[in-house]
Amino acid sequence: MSVNLTLLLVMGVLYACGIYLILERSLTRVLLGLVLLANATNLLILATGGYAGLAPFFSKGTDSGDYNDPLPQALILTSIVISFAVTAFMLGIIYRTWALARQDDIQDDAEDRRVAKTPSFDAEDDAEVPQETSEFPLAAIAAGHTPDHPEAADHPGLAGSTPLNDDEGGGPR
Amino acid sequence: MNAASLAPLAVVLPILGAALTFALNRNPVAQRMVSIGLLALTLLLECWLLAAVWTTGTSSVTLGGWLPPFGVVMVVDQFSSLMLVVSSVVSLAVLVYATGQGMADGDQEAPVSIFHPTYLILVAGVSNAFLTGDLFNLYVGFEILLTASYVLMTLGGTGPRIRAGVTYVVVSVVSSVLFLIAIAMIYGATGTITMADLAVKLAELDPATRNLLHVMLLVAFGIKAAVFPLSFWLPDSYPTAPAPVTAVFAGLLTKVGVYAMVRTETLLFPGDTLNTPLMVVALLTMVVGILGALAQSDIKRLLSFTLVSHIGYMVFGLAMSSVTGLAAAVFYVAHHITVQTSLFLVTGLIERRGGSSSMDRLGGLAKLSPMLALLFFVPAMNLAGIPPFSGFLGKVGLMQAGMELGTPLAITLVAGGVLTSLLTLLAIARVWNRAFWRKPDDAEYPDPVLKDTAAVGLLPRTMVGSTAALVVFGVALTVFAGPLFQLAGNSAEQMLDRTAYIQSVLGGDAIVPGKAAPGTDSGPSLQGGAK
């Protein structure tokens, strides 16, 4: 199978740029990276179709090896449509992120950060087990008084609302 | 007419429903009737398909009159029809739950007018992925369900959902690009993308090329199935979506990835070339996933981690590539779809009743709402693999297969499986102790709703009813575990044998690699002209 060298080089450059871009933190660049990756893949599919040939319409007297392979082109068409839809959706998301947070960056998960900061000591799980755990301790009833409950240990505060919501409406319009 | 002639309807009916509900978006009542009615009809059709395949065996249908290996085929065998039935039961229950939530809340949590069409498209994509016998059509099925899931994930467009949606969309698109690259390379190497034809032609390739294609497909599917090193995106993105959406994602989307992995391993690349790495990955998925679950204090995130962890069991069953191992994996997939979805639905109810899904704010739910406690307890024990339930049976099946195999690695995995099961029980018991058993006053930050006993009527009957129905279905999987295991065993045998699948697509005289040729020895050589 003969392969077009220009096609391969373009494909390689597109993949390299695409991968570089999706590693960025800016959403717009990530989107551009995804578009480049999709187009590089389309070129790859085109390359698998082999050498260029006649349009695959049946005509008498043409050898079957002279036609172009129509299947990769059908696949490319489908994948173009799909990447078009995904790109449109991503643009919508980027716009929404901008409207909510006034920034173009990918943000961290608040709950994730909170779990990462959790100390390994858990006030409830690691506390010493009291000898008497029943709700109606016999010793206490016999002595004629109720045991006072230990106060629940204080925790560092819950992660508040997410940074996205804090900024909502606050930015310049 | 063979059984598969009606199979395309399983995809067409939900898409038709999506079009109708989209047109009816001003009339919520009609929308609900159409979507629930059509999904119920699809479920009936799929039950019929399962029955037909059970009696007559694997059958296939060619779409658009293009004969295989050129056109797109749909293949119905016991595995795909079982997956279809279970996924439709689950998606129907979630749809009823979501309509109940939509009716109770209005449009705030889940804008109903766009929810129904998108949800039906998602179901169509899942059915398409299960049915198709063509690699590129599998890609299209994945894209249909993923695009629908992007919309569902970011429903309402609030800050946290958009943030989670970005990660989810980017990771999914990258995995799809990898899948597409794999398809292009497979087409370049073999000149076909019909899976049955590939099963024949991939066997003729150079082993190095074969392994490259094999790994590329597994990586692409591994991202979708959330197998350990590729699972980081799941616990980050799933918990923020609306409860019914998380439930259906947890139940179905990762399992479509597992389904694709099973097909890759059994049909396209049989043999044991990658079994060792797969087993290592399965062990890591199980253990790392469940350790992640233990660190969480939010129930939704905890369940997302158990979801990742239990994918490991399925990969373990698959990696053994023996009939018993694969049968247990098939059984485990059916069990896990049901149980994980029920747990997420119950978490949605917990959030409604207790005002939060964070364990720091919950307490005393068992007293406040005994029904809710029961609905949580049954699937939770099922997930942890407590004896009478299907989770236990599935795990026992896997352990038996592992011991049968007897290699040191397999025995390590059996031990890892037992450990994961115990740790799952620990994680679930923490939820039970904190959210259900302790007094509301003992919670770190008790939600004020917990003490408001007048608010018990908060749970809409449709939501509780659909959750209960799914829990009962999960219990039914336990009661009918015998026939189900037989079905799983049959499908495992068929998948490892491959003859029925290949011959139903390529005709009765097709040659199955590794088997004695049924007729003459001259295989059709379609690739000859491509040099």
Side-chain angles (χ1 to χ4, degrees), chain A residues 83-173:
Chain A
S83 66
F84 171 69
V86 173
T87 309
F89 185 79
M90 275 292 283
L91 279 172
I93 282 200
I94 291 172
Y95 175 73
R96 185 72 187 156
T97 315
W98 177 253
L100 285 172
R102 295 282 145 185
Q103 57 181 5
D104 190 33
D105 279 1
I106 297 177
Q107 294 167 25
D108 287 338
D109 189 352
E111 177 73 11
D112 222 14
R113 274 190 271 172
R114 200 183 72 75
V115 170
K117 279 188 207 146
T118 315
S120 57
F121 177 82
D122 185 300
E124 188 175 320
D125 285 0
D126 300 338
E128 277 185 32
V129 181
Q131 297 240 308
E132 186 63 83
T133 52
S134 158
E135 277 198 41
F136 307 103
L138 289 173
I141 291 168
H145 66 87
T146 49
D148 34 20
H149 281 280
E151 289 301 315
D154 270 350
H155 245 238
L158 270 182
S161 50
T162 57
L164 276 179
N165 287 340
D166 287 341
D167 291 351
E168 189 171 8
R173 292 269 155 191

Side-chain angles (χ1 to χ4, degrees), chain B residues 304-360:
Chain B
S304 304
F305 274 101
T306 62
L307 168 64
V308 172
S309 161
H310 285 235
I311 296 288
Y313 283 108
M314 298 161 211
V315 179
F316 175 37
L318 173 63
M320 284 187 274
S321 67
S322 64
V323 173
T324 41
L326 198 55
V330 170
F331 181 85
Y332 205 84
V333 174
H335 143 81
H336 196 248
I337 290 180
T338 321
V339 166
Q340 196 75 49
T341 311
S342 343
L343 279 173
F344 271 109
L345 289 185
V346 177
T347 312
L349 293 177
I350 292 178
E351 219 173 357
R352 279 188 90 80
R353 184 61 194 89
S356 163
S357 64
S358 166
M359 282 190 279
D360 292 340

Side-chain angles (χ1 to χ4, degrees), chain A residues 1-2 15 22 27 30 34 37-38 41-42 44-45 48-49 51 65 69 71-72 74-76 78-79 82-83 85-86 89-90 93 96-97 100 106-112 114-115 118 122 124-125 135 149 152-158 162 164-165, chain B residues 70 136 139-140 143 147 150-151 154 156-160 162-163 165-167 169-170 173-174 177 180-185 187-188 191-193 235-237 240 295-298 301 358 360-361 430 433-434 438-439 441-445 529-531:
Chain A
M1 189 165 77
S2 66
Y15 269 127
I22 61 167
L27 280 178
V30 170
L34 291 179
L37 284 183
T41 311
N42 289 343
L44 173 67
I45 302 177
T48 61
Y51 53 84
D69 187 352
L71 192 73
L75 303 190
I76 292 172
T78 316
S79 91
I82 289 171
S83 66
V86 173
F89 185 79
M90 275 292 283
I93 282 200
R96 185 72 187 156
T97 315
L100 285 172
I106 297 177
Q107 294 167 25
D108 287 338
D109 189 352
E111 177 73 11
D112 222 14
R114 200 183 72 75
V115 170
T118 315
D122 185 300
E124 188 175 320
D125 285 0
E135 277 198 41
H149 281 280
D154 270 350
H155 245 238
L158 270 182
T162 57
L164 276 179
N165 287 340
Chain B
F70 302 108
F136 191 77
Y139 167 76
V140 174
E143 285 305 313
T147 312
Y150 302 154
V151 178
T154 52
T158 58
I162 292 285
R163 186 205 60 74
V166 167
T167 326
V169 173
V170 172
V173 171
V174 170
V177 166
L180 198 57
I181 295 173
I183 290 176
M185 287 167 124
Y187 185 74
T192 179
I193 44 171
D236 187 45
S237 52
T240 49
Q296 307 302 320
S297 64
D298 184 284
R301 284 175 63 92
S358 166
D360 292 340
R361 315 182 60 128
R430 277 165 69 111
N433 277 343
R434 304 181 115 195
R438 68 175 170 188
K439 292 186 203 119
D441 297 326
D442 290 350
E444 284 84 351
Y445 307 95
K531 294 276 170 196

Side-chain angles (χ1 to χ4, degrees), chain B residues 358-415:
Chain B
S358 166
M359 282 190 279
D360 292 340
R361 315 182 60 128
L362 290 171
L365 282 174
K367 198 170 178 185
L368 271 182
S369 178
M371 180 69 178
L372 188 56
L374 182 70
L375 285 181
F376 177 80
F377 190 74
V378 173
M381 289 300 116
N382 202 339
L383 182 76
I386 294 300
F389 289 116
S390 53
F392 171 72
L393 299 173
K395 286 179 184 102
V396 163
L398 286 170
M399 309 291 144
Q400 275 177 343
M403 294 314 278
E404 231 171 72
L405 199 63
T407 59
L409 185 58
I411 291 172
T412 317
L413 266 146
V414 169

